[in-house]
Amino acid sequence: MRAQANNAGTADQRREQMLRAALDVIAERGYADSRIADVAERAGTSPALVIYYFKTKDQLLTEAIRFSEDTWYEAGTRRMAAIPTAAGKLEEIVAMSCLPEADSEPPSSWALWLDLWAQALRHPEVAGVRQKFDERWRELICSLVLEGQDAGEFGPVDPLDFTVLLSALLDGLAVQIALADPVVDASRAFELAMRFAAAQLGFPWTASRAGRGFRARS
């Protein structure tokens, strides 16, 4: 039994090592120019072993982003647990979406999402994974809106409509951040998103923390 547990632990560690390598390689080179061999070399293993774990390059992309997303949500859950208001929690996740954090672990980049969106356009399997990611994201936003309404912090907006609008706004701003647009940098994207959220939900907000570093969502 102990040997089986050790083997399972080793397999999980090996898989995580490959996912971290995939995140690095795809963020640096882009999905189209990344090869299984590149990921294997970065992970210090063989291409055959990477294929054994992930089968295809599309699956490697989606699993790498899933790993990054899970880590992101774990960090967000910890941070929100220390924040007493729904408005503060919403600000936290918007900041985590927009403002980069240099020492984030694993390394994260909106460029990964650009690759995912591009692949989802033509590959149904990737499209299904993308849909699940967005459903999870919208569920989090909607739950915070409902929490704020229950606490009397937010006005009587439609939670689902607001969630769709905010998530679409953040995705659009993410494209500008990923492309290093000189007009819409990360700090401005954060401020614009929070101004929109505060105006729609009816709570006071000032840009007092736009310079604080946060980790970008995936």
Side-chain angles (χ1 to χ4, degrees), residues 123-202:
H123 299 279
E125 183 178 347
V126 180
V129 173
R130 191 282 312 163
Q131 181 179 342
K132 292 296 184 184
F133 287 164
D134 279 348
E135 287 173 357
R136 184 182 188 184
W137 178 224
R138 291 172 189 145
E139 285 171 3
L140 173 59
I141 295 173
C142 190
S143 70
L144 292 177
V145 175
L146 292 170
E147 179 182 334
Q149 289 177 330
D150 289 343
E153 296 179 46
F154 299 158
V157 301
D158 185 295
L160 295 178
D161 285 350
F162 172 81
T163 294
V164 170
L165 285 169
L166 181 60
S167 60
L169 174 62
L170 290 170
D171 282 349
L173 292 171
V175 174
Q176 309 305 309
I177 295 171
L179 297 178
D181 187 279
V183 176
V184 188
D185 63 9
S187 292
R188 187 172 188 187
F190 166 66
E191 185 172 341
L192 290 172
M194 283 307 304
R195 276 195 219 157
F196 169 80
Q200 290 290 308
L201 296 174

Side-chain angles (χ1 to χ4, degrees), residues 3-200:
Q4 289 179 350
N6 289 339
N7 288 338
T10 300
D12 289 342
Q13 291 171 359
R14 187 179 294 120
R15 186 175 185 277
E16 180 176 325
Q17 185 179 18
M18 294 176 193
L19 291 172
R20 290 177 181 276
L23 287 170
D24 287 340
V25 170
I26 296 171
E28 289 174 9
R29 303 187 184 187
Y31 177 80
D33 294 329
S34 297
R35 304 173 303 162
I36 293 290
D38 299 324
V39 175
E41 182 179 2
R42 184 69 61 94
T45 189
S46 69
L49 192 58
V50 176
I51 293 171
Y52 171 79
Y53 275 92
F54 300 105
K55 312 304 180 190
T56 67
K57 194 169 81 165
D58 280 350
Q59 185 175 341
L60 182 60
L61 170 66
T62 57
E63 289 302 314
I65 295 181
R66 192 193 309 278
F67 172 68
S68 181
E69 285 283 280
D70 287 345
T71 305
W72 189 91
Y73 279 100
E74 288 170 6
T77 298
R78 289 194 301 270
R79 291 178 178 185
M80 287 189 293
I83 299 172
T85 65
K89 293 173 184 176
L90 183 66
E91 181 183 22
E92 187 76 18
I93 64 165
V94 171
M96 289 177 67
S97 295
C98 295
L99 299 175
E101 192 171 77
D103 60 350
S104 65
E105 186 61 31
S108 183
S109 169
W110 273 115
L112 293 169
W113 270 85
L114 297 186
D115 282 322
L116 183 74
W117 287 330
Q119 294 303 308
L121 187 63
R122 295 179 177 85
H123 299 279
E125 183 178 347
V126 180
V129 173
R130 191 282 312 163
Q131 181 179 342
K132 292 296 184 184
F133 287 164
D134 279 348
E135 287 173 357
R136 184 182 188 184
W137 178 224
R138 291 172 189 145
E139 285 171 3
L140 173 59
I141 295 173
C142 190
S143 70
L144 292 177
V145 175
L146 292 170
E147 179 182 334
Q149 289 177 330
D150 289 343
E153 296 179 46
F154 299 158
V157 301
D158 185 295
L160 295 178
D161 285 350
F162 172 81
T163 294
V164 170
L165 285 169
L166 181 60
S167 60
L169 174 62
L170 290 170
D171 282 349
L173 292 171
V175 174
Q176 309 305 309
I177 295 171
L179 297 178
D181 187 279
V183 176
V184 188
D185 63 9
S187 292
R188 187 172 188 187
F190 166 66
E191 185 172 341
L192 290 172
M194 283 307 304
R195 276 195 219 157
F196 169 80
Q200 290 290 308

